[in-house]
């Protein structure tokens, strides 16, 4: 009886991490590295950051970036699978419809780099998984460094 109880305890304990590891990385959960990936098509540009920094949408969804600051930002493609370079003045907006599955990298040319340092973000589309999510803070202080 003791062996059976130990077997059940060990089996139950080792099953929980397996099930927890299978929960969705794209649907409001975490990327494979633990950073949050939000199910949303609305992104704000505020305090020299994209909020949120990692999003997931279905293919065919239009993402809207809203500049909540009173100075300019850009929404610029940092990956080869799409093309966008739009200046967004203070309180302005821009959109893009993501038709194809994939992970799309985005940055602000004024306050970030194409390596997603500074003001950068990722958009996961369809069945694509953001493998390396960006942390919640882009390192910006909320002040205009330029």
């Amino acid at each position: 009886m003791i062996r059976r109880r130990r077997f059940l305890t060990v089996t139950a304990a080792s099953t929980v991490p397996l099930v927890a590891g299978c929960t969705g990385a794209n649907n409001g959960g975490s990327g494979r590295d633990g950073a949050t990936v939000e199910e949303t098509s609305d992104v704000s540009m505020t305090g020299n950051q994209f909020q949120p920094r990692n999003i997931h949408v279905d293919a065919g969804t239009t993402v809207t970036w809203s500049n909540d600051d009173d100075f300019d930002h850009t929404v610029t493609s940092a990956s080869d699978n799409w093309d966008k370079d739009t200046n967004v003045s203070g309180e302005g907006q821009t959109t893009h419809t993501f038709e194809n599955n994939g992970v799309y990298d985005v940055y602000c040319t004024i306050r970030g780099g194409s390596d997603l340092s500074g003001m950068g973000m990722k958009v996961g589309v369809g069945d694509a998984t953001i493998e390396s999510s960006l942390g919640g803070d882009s390192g910006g202080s909320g002040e205009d460094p330029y």
Side-chain angles (χ1 to χ4, degrees), residues 3 26 34 53 58 90 92 96 103-104 120 122 130 137 146:
R3 282 187 160 175
N26 287 334
R53 295 196 71 203
D58 293 329
H96 183 83
V103 176
Y104 299 82
K122 294 187 176 211
I130 296 175
D137 182 4
Y146 300 94

Side-chain angles (χ1 to χ4, degrees), residues 45 50 65 73-88 94-98 103-110 112-116 119-123:
M45 297 179 283
F50 291 107
W65 288 268
H73 289 295
T74 71
V75 174
T76 304
S77 55
S79 52
D80 294 335
N81 55 347
W82 71 305
D83 186 32
K84 184 165 184 75
D85 187 15
T86 303
N87 187 70
V88 184
T94 189
T95 63
H96 183 83
T97 302
F98 291 93
V103 176
Y104 299 82
D105 296 340
V106 184
Y107 76 110
C108 173
T109 60
I110 302 167
S114 61
D115 62 354
L116 304 185
M119 191 171 175
M121 69 169 295
K122 294 187 176 211
V123 179

Side-chain angles (χ1 to χ4, degrees), residues 17-29:
L18 291 174
V19 173
C22 293
T23 58
N26 287 334
N27 46 9

